[in-house]
Amino acid sequence: MSESAAEKIRTIETLEGTFTLRLVRDDLGTIYPGMIRYTVEVLRGTETVYTYAINTYESGRQASLFDTRKAAEIVFARLAHDVASRPHLYTRSRVFTRPLPGTGTADVVILQGSPRRFGNSAKIASWCDDEAARAGYTSRVFYLQEMDIRPCIGCYVCYDQGYCPVEDGMPPIIRALEAASVIVVCTPVYTGTVPAALKAAMDRCQWLHAREKILGKEVHARGLLVAVAGRRGSEPFVCVTRVVGMFMENLGIRPADPVLIGDLDRARDVETIGGAEDGVRAALSALLAPRNER
């Protein structure tokens, strides 16, 4: 994916042992045009005890490559001084990441995008949850409106080491999506597109995109969109299908044909629409191999 070259290497002998500082340049242009990442590593013997990284998108799209490289060189020089003067601070790993939860994965992950806990999208999510259980699969529903999910701030830090610096409730979602076999998005149409909480979660999945590209943590999942709208016809779903489709494409999720249910302004309750539940269940079931075939 990238071409790496050590731009600077410095060895420092101290009473705490031998330290090596490396400034490494990675060409990440296959991810975003012109993206270059500079990483400063401090090794004590063969163990990496400190890492700092910065990329050209993080430092600003208008910044020159020289600016980003210069910032990395300044960090390199300051770390060299700090290691030489305070080597005891670098005798153990000081890696700054946001580890993902070790538990909470499921075969089927359902993103329930409606703010209404007992609305039509929530009912559809429950149908999907039940259908997964019928087929012998584990499932997990994320009620996004009830979670602390902050907007993506476009910092591009996730493309440095594969983690997001924003402190909120996203880590369990990232962990679950990364391990899922099927990902279902249940959403109403809000002003022609998806509700804010769902859009925020999808935007924050740039973190997962970075993990795929930087760490090789690929998503191996099929995707299903189930959307409801107040009006009849296909027109209300144009933006929703595009937005969710791009979300899946960005992560390499292979989408099935969406299930689109309209006329809810008249029907009010999705359960009263003939064939709606059967259609949702059938769409999900088609993505789930029988238990004995896995």
Side-chain angles (χ1 to χ4, degrees):
M1 178 194 68
S2 63
E3 297 179 0
S4 302
E7 296 214 332
K8 288 188 177 183
I9 298 178
R10 181 171 177 179
T11 301
I12 301 173
E13 298 289 346
T14 75
L15 294 177
E16 301 290 348
T18 300
F19 292 87
T20 302
L21 277 70
R22 299 173 68 239
L23 172 58
V24 178
R25 177 186 187 275
D26 288 291
D27 184 350
L28 304 183
T30 56
I31 302 175
Y32 287 113
M35 178 178 275
I36 303 294
R37 180 183 63 196
Y38 291 91
T39 304
V40 181
E41 301 173 327
V42 179
L43 294 85
R44 183 177 183 239
T46 59
E47 178 189 6
T48 300
V49 293
Y50 184 87
T51 302
Y52 168 85
I54 186 172
N55 67 69
T56 50
Y57 275 49
E58 174 190 355
S59 59
R61 294 292 295 273
Q62 302 304 316
S64 69
L65 298 183
F66 174 80
D67 293 331
T68 307
R69 184 177 68 247
K70 190 65 176 178
E73 289 176 343
I74 290 171
V75 171
F76 182 90
R78 289 180 176 177
L79 277 172
H81 174 76
D82 201 46
V83 169
S85 60
R86 303 188 299 174
H88 60 281
L89 296 181
Y90 298 87
T91 57
R92 63 183 62 185
S93 178
R94 300 169 63 201
V95 180
F96 302 102
T97 63
R98 291 192 67 199
L100 299 183
T103 59
T105 61
D107 300 316
V108 180
V109 173
I110 303 162
L111 302 180
Q112 202 291 95
S114 174
R116 301 177 62 215
R117 187 62 160 81
F118 302 104
N120 289 313
S121 292
K123 289 180 180 179
I124 291 169
S126 71
W127 296 344
C128 294
D129 194 27
D130 181 65
E131 190 61 31
R134 283 188 185 184
Y137 285 76
T138 59
S139 60
R140 182 173 182 182
V141 181
F142 287 98
Y143 295 91
L144 302 176
Q145 181 68 24
E146 300 172 10
M147 301 178 67
D148 176 22
I149 300 175
R150 302 182 184 182
C152 175
I153 60 174
C155 65
Y156 290 94
V157 169
C158 54
Y159 292 94
D160 289 334
Q161 299 178 54
Y163 77 95
C164 177
V166 178
E167 296 284 351
D168 65 358
M170 275 301 294
I173 296 176
I174 297 297
R175 176 74 175 101
L177 293 177
E178 199 170 77
S181 297
V182 176
I183 296 168
V184 183
V185 177
C186 300
T187 182
V189 175
Y190 270 34
T191 320
T193 185
V194 299
L198 174 57
K199 185 60 167 66
M202 292 192 298
D203 288 348
R204 288 290 303 290
C205 281
Q206 282 298 109
W207 178 3
L208 183 50
H209 181 263
R211 286 177 62 80
E212 290 181 310
K213 299 301 182 181
I214 300 298
L215 304 179
K217 303 288 187 178
E218 295 184 5
V219 175
H220 300 283
R222 297 297 308 276
L224 176 65
L225 164 64
V226 185
V228 297
R231 291 184 292 149
R232 299 178 181 179
S234 60
E235 193 275 335
F237 299 102
V238 170
C239 187
V240 166
T241 54
R242 182 62 174 163
V243 167
V244 176
M246 289 302 297
F247 159 70
M248 293 185 180
E249 180 182 327
N250 192 47
L251 298 179
I253 300 167
R254 296 165 292 146
D257 291 336
V259 178
L260 308 176
I261 306 169
D263 203 24
L264 267 298
D265 283 346
R266 180 192 59 81
R268 307 302 296 172
D269 188 342
V270 71
E271 290 181 314
T272 67
I273 297 179
E277 181 174 353
D278 289 342
V280 171
R281 288 180 179 274
L284 178 56
S285 179
L287 301 181
L288 301 175
R291 188 79 185 182
N292 58 10
E293 293 182 9
R294 285 195 274 166

